[in-house]
Amino acid sequence: MSLPESSTLGGRLTALAQRLGLLGRASRQIFARASVLRLPFKVLPAPADSICWHEGPQLQQLLHLPRGALSGPVQEDKAQAHSALTQVVEAQTQQLQSFDLRLIDGFACTTPAPGYGSFEDYAASEHCRQVRIISYKDFLKAMSQPLPRFMAGDPVELLQANWRTRTFWAGETRGEAFASAIAYARRRGLEVLLPANMVRYRLSEAGLDNLQHRYHVLAMPEEAWSDPGFMGLLLDNGIPYARLSLLKKAGKPEFLLLPKEHQDATALG
């Protein structure tokens, strides 16, 4: 009787690892059990190119990652994973003397912005139907709603991230008025200059290298954490791990960090 292709492949990989001396007996057993697990993995969606800051990857949260964001049975394992994760993202704040607000094409408002690719699309939607801008006076009124000190020339708060393609306004309210005013300024060729405080987030090459060197980082489906076969592998064998629930939303994966220095963890990873 022929074995399923996946089982045959798992056996081949186990045998290869054994010949290379990479796995001990316990690790071989873990590897063999892991190779036949059937978890409900789904294709990870591509990052959304949206005007909503919160709709894209929230990697900036790693910079000030709460210790409670990690779970696992051993405090030391969680602490080490926490230390590695907080090195992945860096931030720099820059004060700009003059910034053209027409270059902004996103905001930190959470609703009802998701799903729109530009301020023009959003301004033309039913969400913004109460914002009516047909004159410069209307523009000033609309812009003064999200930016009450707009006429006084107070700095605007901005966000950028090198894993995103946009410049975002950090404000979280009056997004309809802000988007409509910016769309109007672009359409009319109206230069809108303000000083700005820009926070730029970027992925640290050294931090990413350190994380890759020390850990297997696996995106796990939500259902994995209630799967007896998967949890049995972790707990029955005392495999060190940390579970990151930073992006915990319905249908979103969570992340499993397995230290590469531990042979059994590497067998599973």
Side-chain angles (χ1 to χ4, degrees):
M1 181 177 67
S2 62
L3 293 175
E5 182 180 353
S6 59
S7 297
T8 304
L9 177 60
R12 290 174 181 172
L13 290 175
T14 303
L16 175 61
Q18 182 178 357
R19 287 200 300 272
L20 295 176
L22 299 179
L23 301 177
R25 180 177 179 182
S27 297
R28 291 198 304 271
Q29 293 174 347
I30 292 170
F31 191 98
R33 288 177 61 188
S35 67
V36 297
L37 279 177
R38 294 294 179 265
L39 296 174
F41 287 102
K42 301 175 183 178
V43 176
L44 294 178
D49 184 21
S50 167
I51 63 173
C52 185
W53 170 258
H54 297 291
E55 194 171 1
Q58 298 299 290
L59 300 179
Q60 74 281 354
Q61 294 185 32
L62 294 174
L63 186 62
H64 302 293
L65 182 65
R67 294 191 178 276
L70 290 167
S71 58
V74 180
Q75 182 62 38
E76 183 179 358
D77 295 335
K78 292 185 290 184
Q80 292 177 358
H82 181 275
S83 175
L85 287 168
T86 54
Q87 299 176 46
V88 169
V89 175
E90 299 174 335
Q92 179 186 32
T93 301
Q94 184 179 7
Q95 294 180 338
L96 306 175
Q97 292 184 351
S98 181
F99 186 88
D100 191 342
L101 270 59
R102 292 177 297 177
L103 299 177
I104 303 173
D105 201 23
F107 47 37
C109 302
T110 55
T111 55
Y116 293 95
S118 70
F119 278 167
E120 283 75 10
D121 291 342
Y122 187 49
S125 73
E126 62 177 9
H127 300 296
C128 299
R129 63 182 181 273
Q130 295 182 347
V131 182
R132 190 165 180 264
I133 305 177
I134 59 176
S135 67
Y136 182 69
K137 183 178 179 180
D138 293 334
F139 164 77
L140 293 178
K141 180 180 178 181
M143 188 61 82
S144 296
Q145 293 180 35
L147 302 176
R149 298 282 297 169
F150 170 69
M151 296 298 293
D154 280 9
V156 61
E157 305 296 324
L158 304 177
L159 300 169
Q160 285 185 345
N162 70 351
W163 57 88
R164 307 291 292 272
T165 61
R166 302 169 183 266
T167 297
F168 295 83
W169 171 52
E172 298 184 349
T173 61
R174 303 286 185 174
E176 297 87 351
F178 187 83
S180 299
I182 297 298
Y184 176 87
R186 291 175 182 162
R187 186 169 63 251
R188 296 297 184 184
L190 180 62
E191 188 176 64
V192 187
L193 301 176
L194 279 182
N197 298 320
M198 175 80 77
V199 179
R200 290 189 169 97
Y201 297 99
R202 73 178 188 90
L203 294 172
S204 165
E205 184 174 345
L208 286 171
D209 287 345
N210 176 64
L211 184 66
Q212 184 177 24
H213 176 73
R214 294 176 57 190
Y215 288 95
H216 302 281
V217 182
L218 310 177
M220 304 300 296
E222 284 184 299
E223 297 87 347
W225 306 103
S226 58
D227 183 271
F230 171 67
M231 293 306 298
L233 274 175
L234 287 177
L235 301 178
D236 295 348
N237 297 281
I239 296 176
Y241 74 91
R243 173 183 173 185
L244 176 62
S245 304
L246 178 66
L247 304 179
K248 189 169 180 59
K249 296 179 182 178
K252 298 289 185 180
E254 299 182 27
F255 292 88
L256 174 67
L257 285 83
L258 297 166
K260 291 183 176 181
E261 65 181 11
H262 193 282
Q263 192 177 51
D264 291 349
T266 288
L268 179 57

